Amino acid sequence: MVSSAAASEEPVKAAKVLMVGAGGIGCELLKTLALSGFRDIHLIDLDTIEVSNLNRQFLFRQCHVGQSKAHVARDAVLKFRPNINISSYHANVKDAQFNVEFFKQFNVVLNGLDNLDARRHVNRLCLAAEVPLVESGTTGFLGQVTVHVKGKTECYECQPKPVPKSYPVCTITSTPSKFVHCIVWAKDLLFAKLFGNKNQDNDLNTHSSENGTSKSNVFERNTDEDLDQYARRIYDHVFGYNIESALENEETWKNRRRPNPVYIRDALHEEDSRQNGSSHDCSNKQVEPSAMVSLGLRNPQEICNLADNSRVFLEALKLFFEKREKEIGNLIFDKDDQLAVEFVTAAANIRASSFGIPLHSIFEAKGVAGNIVHAVATTNAIIAGLIVIEAIKVLQGDYKKYRMTYCLEHPSRKMLLMPVEPFEPNKSCYVCSETPLLLEVNTKTTKLREVIDKIIKSKLGMNLPLVMIGHTLVFEDGEGLEEDEAANYALNLEKVLAELPAPVINGTKLTVEDFQQELSCSINIKHREEFDEENEPDGMVLSGWSAPVEKQGASNGDNQSVASSSGAHDTDGNLEDISTKPVMKRKLDEILESKENFDASSNAQVVDDDDDDDIVMLDEDPNLSKKKRLQ
């Protein structure tokens, strides 16, 4: 007779598993799968290995920097499990080759992703292919694992997901009150204007008056201007002239602290500003140029004063033009770009000084600029172990044993890990329940392009949308279009909704589809004349979808927060199946009453276990809605 233990191992040995993501969670997950008896694993990851990954992604070494994460992770695990099959793909999971048919070949999909967009894409493919999905994420000491099975549990998009917080443009450009406002200004406006796409408009004031003559764009370098002069002129414009211009609006400052314009002559003596740093002495052997190294500032955790930040600003700007001139015009801020971080930190600190906001070290500023909550390898290890536990339950086919597990930073009633029974599908979810959405929009002034970019692609996460009004196809995206079709759709993009071939008016119903995701939804249109620019900046309002919950932190250097973050996660074994123990149910708020991530009024139920080794994770905020547990 076959023992029960042997029988339970068979689904694991026979399973074909897809892993998406080979970062912190992914490295630990791949290792744990291999050591748990899984024999056929497929791994997708687009990224290459960076030095900053090495402190928590333990399958990688210094010699692997610059190589594919997926391929290196595969090779590392095969060294100690040579008899299993691991197929690696250095590719984007959103590529056309990873379609619904590709997903159908797997028994379960395990996510270790670091961004919301890719998570939503995988969720939709799993729904279309009817393949169970195990999601995960960590932020510092916090983490979660959730199970999503079509028709049995809610899908990944049934509830709102935290996203990095956005700020009104007027706050960023005119009235910052927090250091993060200065970081956003330095990163998204100033850095982008100086080093990014010159043709891209942003809200940075580019006009000034010099000696009574108007200069059309202050950021354009004059042909007879050396780098020192250019750098000082930029400094005086953004930190001096712009703030003086803002002070002219007396109404703005009636109930606010007035900022102090800062000019280079105020921050530095003339001699210091002209003999700033030693960029011309930078060694060619240096891996990457650094303003701080050039200036002899070695401690990233030290808070520099206004003078030092001014020197770093000037030096970093000059280094970009001296050492990386070919990149200028195409640069996008990257938290792993040391010179970019130095420039943004210095600019943010100078602006903060002007507005009376406390200055920050480059270490702190990097965390804010990259939306970083620094990764904890142990959390990643715990999460990976939990993923494997849930994957085994899925393969055994007993959905009543599934658990969403939340990992806490501090014990609450002796628990660091809390298993929660999965919730039923949200009947109003437009992804898995096909509930119509409502879009309030001015149909007389809003162009089709705006609806596609701001709503269909940005909010609904469709990659290659098709838009129909009744039986009329007004837009289709993707390859294979005839030339005349593509030209016609391009013309439609620039038309306002009411002037499309099938006019969009109050009461019109749009049908939107994405064939790659095999997703379709309906949008009912409600005409509305006016919108609040501050609270409704898109000029339209979408109802009936799970609007993201704004949060600041993001995990492991990536742009996600607790519910959806896992850029670098690690996993460890030694976890037992917590669902097999006697359970005692109690309200989640009683266990997490001290945790800011949960609302004390939550009615969600938690499975309570007496064993301190039990594990729990958090993805959604239970206070977002009252959800039904699976019965």
Side-chain angles (χ1 to χ4, degrees), residues 439-505:
L439 178 63
E440 296 178 63
V441 61
N442 189 327
T443 59
K444 299 176 182 178
T445 61
T446 304
K447 294 181 179 179
L448 178 62
R449 178 186 296 279
E450 296 176 78
V451 174
I452 290 174
D453 290 344
K454 296 179 180 179
I455 301 297
I456 297 173
K457 289 187 175 181
S458 179
K459 286 185 168 59
L460 301 185
M462 293 190 179
N463 301 316
L464 301 173
L466 174 152
V467 182
M468 293 188 68
I469 304 170
H471 297 291
T472 303
L473 179 61
V474 296
F475 180 77
E476 184 176 3
D477 200 353
E479 299 178 357
L481 295 176
E482 297 292 336
E483 189 173 335
D484 58 337
E485 288 180 323
N488 187 46
Y489 296 147
L491 289 174
N492 285 344
L493 284 175
E494 304 307 322
K495 294 179 180 178
V496 297
L497 298 177
E499 296 176 0
L500 287 169
V504 175
I505 58 175

Side-chain angles (χ1 to χ4, degrees), residues 207-222:
H207 301 285
S208 68
S209 180
E210 298 179 348
N211 301 322
T213 60
S214 176
K215 183 175 178 63
S216 61
N217 188 348
V218 74
F219 293 97
E220 292 180 2
R221 184 180 170 191
N222 299 327

Side-chain angles (χ1 to χ4, degrees), residues 399-400 421-422 424 585 628-631:
Y399 74 88
K400 292 185 177 181
E421 293 184 20
E424 292 180 342
K585 298 173 184 175
K628 296 181 180 179
R629 293 178 293 106
L630 289 175
Q631 302 296 326

Side-chain angles (χ1 to χ4, degrees), residues 273 288 340 347 420 423 444 619:
S273 68
E288 58 179 341
V420 182
F423 300 115
K444 299 176 182 178
D619 192 359

Side-chain angles (χ1 to χ4, degrees), residues 368-436:
V368 177
N371 291 325
I372 299 170
V373 174
H374 292 283
V376 177
T378 305
T379 309
N380 295 333
I382 290 171
I383 294 311
L386 288 170
I387 294 172
V388 174
I389 288 175
E390 294 306 320
I392 291 172
K393 294 178 190 177
V394 167
L395 295 173
Q396 290 173 342
D398 190 351
Y399 74 88
K400 292 185 177 181
K401 292 182 179 180
Y402 298 168
R403 293 293 181 267
M404 302 188 301
T405 309
Y406 296 82
C407 184
L408 309 180
E409 181 175 355
H410 302 289
S412 181
R413 302 199 181 188
K414 298 183 179 181
M415 291 180 66
L416 279 175
L417 303 168
M418 272 182 303
V420 182
E421 293 184 20
F423 300 115
E424 292 180 342
N426 182 352
K427 293 181 181 179
S428 63
C429 175
Y430 75 94
V431 176
C432 65
S433 300
E434 298 183 2
T435 302

Side-chain angles (χ1 to χ4, degrees), residues 504-519:
V504 175
I505 58 175
N506 190 60
T508 298
K509 180 179 178 180
L510 304 183
T511 300
V512 185
E513 299 181 9
D514 188 317
F515 290 122
Q516 185 185 23
Q517 299 175 348
E518 293 197 10
L519 174 67

Side-chain angles (χ1 to χ4, degrees), residues 19 137 163 193 197 287 300 333 610:
M19 273 183 57
V163 297
K193 179 59 68 176
N197 186 345
V287 175
F333 177 82
D610 296 326

